[in-house]
Amino acid sequence: MTNPVQPDEWLKRLEARSRAKQETFMDGIAAKLGRERVRTRPKHPFRGAPDFWKEFQLPIEDRIRQFTANFEAAGGHVVRVKNRAEASTFIVDKASEMSAGSILINDEVELSTLNLASSLPDAIVRSWNEDQDENWRAVASRSDIGIVMADYAAAYTGSLVVTSSPAKGRSVSLLPTVLMAIVPVDRMVTRLGEILVRFDEAGREQLPAGIHFISGPSRSADIENDLTIGVHGPGIVFAILVDDDSDA
Amino acid sequence: MSAAEKGQTVKERARDALGNDFLRSAVRFTTERLRLGKKLAAEEHGNWDDWRERGRQIRLHTIAHLDYYLNEFAENARANGAHVHFADTAEEAVAISLEIAKHASAKSVVKSKSMVSEELHLNQALDSIGVEAIETDLGEYIIQLANETPSHIIIPAIHKNRHQIAGLLSREAGEDLPADTAVLAGFVRTKLREKFLAADIGMTGCNFAIAETGSMVLFENEGNARMVTTVPKTQITLMGMERIIPSWSDLEVMATLLPRSATGQKLTVYMSGITGPRREQDADGPDQMHIIIIDNGRSLQLGDPEFQELLNCIRCGACLNACPVYRHIGGHAYGGTYSGPIGAVLTPALKKNVAEWDDIANASSLCGACYEACPVKIPLHDMLVYLRRRKVEAGRGNKAETLGMKGFSVVMGNAKRYRNVVRLGKLGQKLVVRNGEIRARIGPLKGWNTYRVTPELPKDSFRDRWSKVEQELYSESAPMNPEVADRLSKLMDQRKNGGHGQ
């Protein structure tokens, strides 16, 4: 396909067309609703969950119990450890048990202090985006295990949350066969809404490109309602709850 | 091409479906599983009706101010670096998609499940310019290989058994695959992984779009929507213009209602909020992101008091699973992109061509189970009645029915005429009554008697006995208890004021 128009020029032309169309589109909506265009923010009296729900808070031990029950019911695994050293031991043991040949970790301080490369001399351990010229999506797709820090977790739905940044790939929690997520317990809240409201408070400009809630292994029931695990994303998912995530 | 466009009637399509034993039991089993899952999830969560009401209010508010919120979303999405497009019609949306595909020099497009894309018949259009479109949801991939359309909004390949699926996938694999779910899914994982990594464009639908931050939100279980929005260089989101919610806080309500209503899950395995293309230093996510906002008949519902609430739909499929008609005939009998009660209303509403789709509005018992199931309380059963009324008002009613109704009014409007007609009937039925039953499938009794038996007209009818009954009643009955009489007269007064049920 030959393309005589420069990409930037083409996109500019598209944008001009879109902006013109946007006006007629919105005018059309207002006309059908039988009123003038609404140009100031309307009062939204029903924002968010019902009020009784916003009060709902569980103590930390109940949160951990509920998260564990929900995550396991969805087919995930949960382990609880005292500190980062125990987390490291758990990961090393599991990786050896599964004979993992390649491990991809997000480029985060907490993860680099696990010292996985020295503890697993037979595996290739790489950090996301450590080399700008690498095709990191392909690396992630070839990796046996992806390891991430969870930004948040919600007990009521059994979900952990990962967000993207230059150091934190969306692919790391998605493309490897096994996902291990470290969840410092002080990042665990009761309800989804406690996490979601932070994105409202942060505002558009502060949001990362990808925010992902993960509630277990990838699954499908599309063949005769027969549950299949790991159809596209990781089929084995560990949430490693860490009581004390300090460096010491 | 859908069955309806081939010119079959809903009756003919339903007859095909009823003749397919596997389809019937599969649809029954699946809908029962999903319906029960929803019931348990709603009970466990508690205060379900409060949540439904909250969901309804958020949707009502957003649609009532759609011009503001949609405009806000478009501005914020642009500020995030996404390219926003508006399409009045399916054709315009297709043209924009093809233009983007050409500029990306695309050879293949990986797609995650999107009902909007089914509306557009986009796969055929991409194929016509030499671009391969690959559905990546397991169920959608299966029916794409079979060259069919989805029969359920949540479980698209509900109508295929594992042997048929093994056959389709074996053809793709070039070797015989056993009819074992794990093996079949494993093959699809490997096969589609190559496709994800090679694709130039990823294409998704959009469950919700957040006005205040210009983000779009996707719910899924397999991870293919994440693949499609993470791996290819160019991403296209197809979005119905009504998918908007104001804020992330409002998403909590939708995230509470949608997965529980769809499958009984507390949350789908993945819920992703995507805000613009990848940031400059990010090593994955699309370089270029396009959001195509599509009308295609949706705005026709705005300002229509009977149908505006259709735009509140969050596409969970709960009304399908609850519907006694859907549970018997499955999705293909409806003949459009959307099936079940929501499809029966949405299809003619989007196309404003009640005449062509009128038989779908009749494929309902008006029992209201769809309304009971709906997480945002859309009165679908009322809308089905409005559709039927509009059809009759537009003079497109059934001629025989109109004639019948006129005859009925002539006969019933006059006591003497009624007496004469009944007398005639008593004489006439002697030709067809056997043992007190009429089984002949003739004339107006054909439809009824195909499945049931009509009793004969009684020799001594209530009407014949009335004068005697009346005498007995008034001579023997004691005067009414004054309390009861008072209550009854109050009830009668209430009824005069419109008789609203409790």
Side-chain angles (χ1 to χ4, degrees), chain A residues 1 3 10-11 13-15 17-19 21-22 25-26 29-30 32-33 35-50 52-53 70 128-129 136-137 141 156-157 159 164-166 169-171 173-177 191-193 196-197 199-200 204 207-226 228 230-234, chain B residues 29-30 33 45 47 51 54 57-58 61 64-65 67-72 74-76 78-80 83-86 88 92 99 102-103 136-139 161-162 181 185 189 192-193 196-197 212-213 215 221-222 224 226-227 229-231 233 241 246-250 252-253 255 260 266-275 277 279 281-285 288 299 302-303 308:
Chain A
M1 269 174 274
N3 175 16
W10 167 67
L11 285 172
R13 218 176 50 210
L14 277 186
E15 179 169 346
R17 204 166 73 192
S18 162
R19 284 200 178 272
K21 181 108 191 194
Q22 185 170 339
F25 211 82
M26 302 306 156
I29 291 173
K32 288 208 174 76
L33 287 168
R35 53 161 175 71
E36 296 285 303
R37 282 273 297 274
V38 175
R39 295 190 189 266
T40 53
R41 176 177 300 279
K43 195 175 169 304
H44 177 13
F46 309 103
R47 191 181 173 104
F52 68 85
W53 188 247
N70 285 328
W128 179 257
N129 212 6
W136 287 101
R137 298 163 169 105
S141 192
Y156 190 74
T157 54
S159 314
S164 69
S165 77
R170 286 144 81 163
S171 303
S173 61
L174 180 65
L175 297 178
T177 316
R191 293 170 289 111
L192 273 186
L196 294 170
V197 74
F199 303 136
D200 281 331
R204 180 188 70 70
L207 292 187
I211 298 171
H212 302 283
F213 288 72
I214 302 174
S215 310
S218 153
R219 64 191 276 166
S220 173
D222 277 349
I223 300 178
E224 284 193 4
N225 295 286
D226 192 7
T228 327
V231 65
H232 288 302
Chain B
F29 180 82
T30 310
R33 177 175 74 84
H45 182 57
N47 301 304
W51 284 91
R54 195 67 171 195
Q57 292 296 350
I58 291 172
H61 170 83
H65 302 92
D67 51 339
Y68 177 83
Y69 286 118
L70 187 59
N71 198 61
E72 185 183 32
E75 293 298 331
N76 283 323
R78 275 208 198 92
N80 292 330
H83 303 281
V84 180
H85 312 277
F86 295 89
D88 290 326
E92 270 178 62
E99 194 178 339
K102 280 181 190 161
H103 276 267
T136 63
D137 173 273
L138 178 56
N161 68 35
R162 72 180 69 209
T181 311
R189 180 183 170 100
L192 290 184
R193 187 56 74 91
F196 284 122
L197 290 167
E212 289 177 15
T213 60
S215 314
N221 284 318
E222 295 182 6
N224 59 316
R226 283 192 67 191
M227 296 279 183
T229 53
T230 302
V231 181
K233 297 263 187 227
M241 64 188 282
S247 67
W248 287 86
S249 300
D250 294 313
E252 184 182 14
V253 179
R260 284 182 177 82
K266 290 181 174 157
L267 191 61
T268 47
V269 173
Y270 301 108
M271 176 175 82
S272 303
I274 313 285
T275 308
R279 305 296 180 260
Q281 302 296 317
D282 289 358
D284 59 1
Q288 203 177 85
S299 66
L302 290 168
Q308 185 165 316

Side-chain angles (χ1 to χ4, degrees), chain B residues 312-345:
Chain B
N312 295 357
C313 175
I314 59 172
R315 308 283 192 266
C316 69
C319 59
L320 280 60
N321 304 328
C323 177
V325 176
Y326 179 90
R327 281 147 55 109
H328 273 86
I329 62 177
H332 285 153
Y334 288 80
T337 301
Y338 300 95
S339 58
I342 184 67
V345 183

